[in-house]
Structures are given as C-alpha cells and as structure tokens.
C-alpha cells in the first residue's frame, strides 16, 4: 500500500471519533510494518492520550514490536508539554523509523517543532500526505488557531420555497424525522450549540443531543441582547449555559448568576451584541466548532458579521407560501453583490434534501459527521 492508502486508514479513524474531543484536534494514527497495520489509535478527550500514544499502546496489546516501523498520523506529532507529555519523545523511545504526517500543527508551540525533533533523532519524516483531507477534518481547530474564532455552522430546516416559519408562528415540524435525527448527529460533533432569544421565547428548546451516544452534552450558548430570557427556560436548566448580552442590567445578571449561568456582556456601538467579539471570546474558551440553530434574524446577523462558515439546510418537499425565510438580509443592488456560497454536498435524508454549502470560499470536500 502507498503512503496515501495508509494515511487514508488514519483519516478513517478520525471519522469514528466521539464528540467533544476539543480543544484537542481530531487525529488518527496507524503504525505499519511490512505492509501491515500493527497498531492504531485516535485522540482521546482532553487529558487523555494523543493518537500516537493510543497507537503505540494498541501495538503493545497486540504483542507487536514497533521498532523500525512507519507511523502515519494526520497531524504533526506534538513536541511540547501540555496536558500530556510530548508525543515525539514516545516515538523516539519506541524506535519508530519513519513518521508520515498529513499536515503541520498550526499551534505555535508545535508547528515545525515536532518534525525537527524527529529528524534530529534520525527518524525519517514525510509531510503533506493527504493534507487537504486532514485540514477539512479539523476545520474547527484550524479556524480557532488561524482565524481566532470557531468554525460556525448554521443549521436550518425549510420548505422547498425557503419558508422556515408560517405566518401564525408554526414551524414544527417542516422536515422529516430522518432529517431531525441527522441534525442531532451534527449537534453531537460540535463543542457548542448556539441560539437566539427569539427562538428560546418561541420554542423553549432544550438544544441537547438526543439519540446519539455522547460522553457529554455540548455547551449551550444563548444570544440575548436585552437579557429577556426567562430563568426557567430549558436552555438554562443545567446551569452550564453561557448567555451573551449587550445589557448592563446588573439585577438580571445577578439573577442568572444565582442559577450558575455565566453572563458575558459584549455590546457594540449600537448596544447590540458584538458578534465578532463573541466569536473571539469563544475561541479563547477553546471552542472549536459552533452549531447554530436560530431564526432568520440571528442567522442573517452572523452572515453579515462574517461569523458564519457553513450552511446545513434541510429542505422538505413542500411549498408553504407566505412566511419567514431563512435569513434576514438586506437586498443587494444586483445579484452579483450577494453573499457567495459554494455547494459541497446535496443528498437525500429521508424525504428531504440536505444541502451543505460553504460561505464565501471555494468548495472543499465535505466530511460527514461521525
């Protein structure tokens, strides 16, 4: 098998990872000797082993000697002390002869350092095998480190004519059971699920992952400029939600804090929430990927503020006529001035279409949720 084939095996391990690996990157690793995989592993949750250590341990459990073997890993091995010791030290000690990795780690504590340490120890290093695939599987981690904000996905359910809410306020359920189940799988891969106060006041959603086995629920985030939320709202029920507001109402802040809710006040010049500042704050809190389930107003605001990367739209085979659309956006003077998208995937989910599009960039290969 070629370098590409073994790296593909390592990448396949990434798709099987559980959710909430963050802030760690999603990494897979295989160890190969004489054309056969003798050990494999993937990243554990924070504080657990990195993929390379899991692969070494797997080889040991199989009774395999890794001396002189080649290790394939989807990200440059780390060379710094974080929550765990440097992986390069373990690889050098184990006697690995060659390390092939897909991409350099953008973390300034690592970038290039892992490769240099391996080479100085006499280990052959190959970099850049299936790099685009590896980058796509870590788009949240890369966005946080390279752009200073999480990867943000807007999930929307609509009719074929683009209606999300009827004039009487009804919106449940436009799409099929299968589409809703698929939506939970996308929720499960995110670090945080975000919504706006309009959705909470209208639907009082739980915004939890259901029907998918997860080690813990994603963080829940509420965008509420005026702190209008009812303290009994379901999104606040576990006391772990973050509420972003523009209101300096200390009485309401204290009331929420009594329930264990953290309120972050980030007003802009118009006393609305500074959305780019909010995204920078989430990056500081090591949030890699945000899944948004909100209404047209917040969806449109995130797009206008350049705070959205991907659209996940489920379109039902129905026409609903008048009603609320997908986004609240000002009309451009001509079609060429609108927000540009690149379709990545159009597929069937139950009776619905699932459309995945990237915002304002060339189409890249879409990796489905694990």
């Amino acid at each position: 098998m070629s370098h590409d084939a073994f790296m593909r095996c390592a990448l396949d391990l990434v798709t099987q990872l559980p959710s909430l690996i963050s802030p760690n990157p999603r990494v897979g690793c295989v160890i190969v000797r004489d054309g056969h995989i003798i050990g494999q592993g993937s990243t554990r949750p924070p504080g657990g082993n990195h993929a390379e250590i899991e692969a070494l341990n797997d080889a040991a459990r199989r009774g395999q000697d890794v001396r002189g073997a080649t290790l394939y890993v989807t990200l440059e091995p780390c060379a710094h002390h974080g929550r765990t010791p440097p992986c390069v030290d373990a690889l050098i000690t184990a006697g690995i002869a060659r390390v092939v990795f897909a991409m350099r780690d953008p973390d300034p504590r690592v970038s290039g350092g892992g490769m240099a340490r391996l080479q100085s120890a006499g280990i052959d290093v190959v970099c850049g095998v299936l790099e685009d695939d590896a980058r796509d599987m870590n788009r949240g981690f890369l966005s946080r480190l390279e752009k200073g904000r999480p990867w943000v996905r807007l999930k929307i359910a609509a009719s074929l004519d683009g209606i999300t809410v009827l004039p009487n306020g009804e919106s449940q359920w436009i799409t099929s059971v299968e589409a809703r189940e698929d939506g939970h799988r996308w929720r499960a891969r995110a670090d945080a699920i975000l919504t706006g106060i309009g959705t909470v006041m209208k639907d009082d959603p739980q915004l939890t992952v259901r029907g998918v086995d997860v080690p813990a629920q994603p963080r829940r985030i509420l965008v509420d400029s005026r702190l209008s939320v009812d303290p009994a709202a379901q999104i606040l029920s576990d006391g772990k939600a973050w509420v972003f507001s523009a209101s300096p109402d200390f009485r309401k802040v204290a009331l929420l804090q009594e329930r264990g809710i953290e309120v972050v006040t980030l007003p802009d010049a118009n006393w609305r929430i500074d959305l780019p500042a909010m995204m920078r704050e989430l990056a500081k809190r090591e949030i890699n990927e945000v899944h948004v389930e909100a209404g047209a107003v917040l969806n449109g605001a995130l797009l206008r503020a350049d705070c959205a990367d991907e659209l996940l739209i489920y379109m039902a085979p129905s026409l609903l006529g008048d009603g609320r659309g997908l986004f609240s956006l000002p009309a451009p003077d001509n079609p060429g001035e609108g927000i540009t998208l690149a379709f990545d995937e159009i597929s069937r989910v139950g009776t619905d279409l699932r459309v995945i599009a990237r915002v304002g960039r060339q189409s890249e290969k879409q990796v489905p949720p694990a």
Side-chain angles (χ1 to χ4, degrees):
M1 293 174 69
S2 65
H3 283 336
D4 283 11
F6 285 119
M7 187 62 73
R8 179 64 59 196
C9 293
L11 289 165
D12 286 345
L13 292 173
V14 177
T15 66
Q16 301 167 26
L17 278 171
S19 62
L20 299 182
I21 295 298
S22 297
N24 291 342
R26 297 162 62 85
V27 181
C29 177
V30 298
I31 302 173
V32 176
R33 191 179 60 213
D34 299 328
H36 298 284
I37 293 175
I38 61 173
Q40 64 182 27
S42 54
T43 318
R44 297 298 92 198
N49 289 332
H50 289 188
E52 299 94 321
I53 307 305
E54 286 290 300
L56 290 172
N57 291 345
D58 182 50
R61 285 191 294 269
R62 300 186 192 193
Q64 296 289 338
D65 184 357
V66 301
R67 287 176 295 178
T70 297
L71 181 140
Y72 292 84
V73 63
T74 58
L75 184 70
E76 177 184 4
C78 66
H80 70 290
H81 282 271
R83 294 182 175 92
T84 58
C87 290
V88 292
D89 291 350
L91 301 183
I92 293 168
T93 300
I96 294 292
R98 175 186 293 166
V99 173
V100 181
F101 61 90
M103 58 172 286
R104 287 196 180 194
D105 192 331
D107 189 328
R109 298 172 299 174
V110 181
S111 186
M115 180 168 63
R117 285 277 303 278
L118 293 169
Q119 289 174 328
S120 66
I123 296 175
D124 183 28
V125 177
V126 178
C127 174
V129 177
L130 299 184
E131 179 175 357
D132 289 345
D133 299 77
R135 288 186 63 86
D136 201 61
M137 287 183 174
N138 270 307
R139 52 187 176 268
F141 174 73
L142 293 172
S143 180
R144 177 169 64 85
L145 288 180
E146 295 176 350
K147 298 195 294 184
R149 68 166 180 81
W151 179 271
V152 179
R153 177 190 316 111
L154 310 184
K155 180 263 183 181
I156 305 167
S159 62
L160 191 59
D161 53 349
I163 299 303
T164 61
V165 182
L166 295 174
N168 64 4
E170 284 296 318
S171 61
Q172 296 179 334
W173 299 100
I174 292 175
T175 53
S176 64
V177 172
E178 292 85 355
R180 298 197 293 275
E181 291 173 345
D182 190 65
H184 279 280
R185 288 191 285 272
W186 284 92
R187 280 185 183 183
R189 66 171 289 158
D191 307 314
I193 303 173
L194 181 148
T195 195
I197 185 59
T199 298
V200 169
M201 294 180 73
K202 174 179 164 297
D203 297 329
D204 192 21
Q206 298 179 57
L207 288 187
T208 54
V209 176
R210 299 184 294 279
V212 181
D213 185 22
V214 292
Q217 289 289 336
R219 176 73 62 175
R220 292 183 286 181
I221 300 172
L222 173 61
V223 176
D224 181 7
S225 294
R226 299 179 182 178
L227 282 184
S228 304
V229 66
D230 183 341
Q234 291 193 91
I235 191 174
L236 308 180
S237 61
D238 63 358
K240 296 180 180 179
W242 296 335
V243 177
F244 282 85
S245 175
S247 171
D249 189 327
F250 298 111
R251 182 188 64 83
K252 290 184 178 179
V253 170
L255 183 63
L256 292 172
Q257 288 176 336
E258 288 176 3
R259 296 177 57 86
I261 306 302
E262 183 177 358
V263 179
V264 184
T265 305
L266 287 175
D268 64 11
N270 298 311
W271 288 101
R272 298 185 179 92
I273 295 173
D274 187 330
L275 295 176
M278 180 182 74
M279 292 303 170
R280 292 192 295 270
E281 178 63 24
L282 292 179
K284 291 177 183 177
R285 297 174 181 227
E286 299 188 315
I287 298 295
N288 285 348
E289 191 170 305
V290 175
H291 180 90
V292 178
E293 297 195 17
V297 173
L298 182 52
N299 286 337
L302 289 166
L303 284 167
R304 291 196 306 275
D306 195 24
C307 290
D309 299 285
E310 183 175 56
L311 307 183
L312 171 65
I313 303 175
Y314 297 92
M315 303 199 77
S318 62
L319 302 174
L320 298 180
D322 293 335
R324 188 175 303 167
L326 284 70
F327 309 102
S328 178
L329 291 169
D333 291 333
N334 61 74
E337 296 177 354
I339 294 172
T340 59
L341 306 172
F343 289 120
D344 274 0
E345 178 190 310
I346 301 175
S347 57
R348 287 280 296 272
V349 177
T351 57
D352 305 312
L353 288 180
R354 182 178 70 187
V355 178
I356 300 174
R358 300 281 173 93
V359 179
R361 56 182 56 82
Q362 294 297 314
S363 178
E364 304 167 9
K365 183 178 179 180
Q366 173 64 36
V367 180

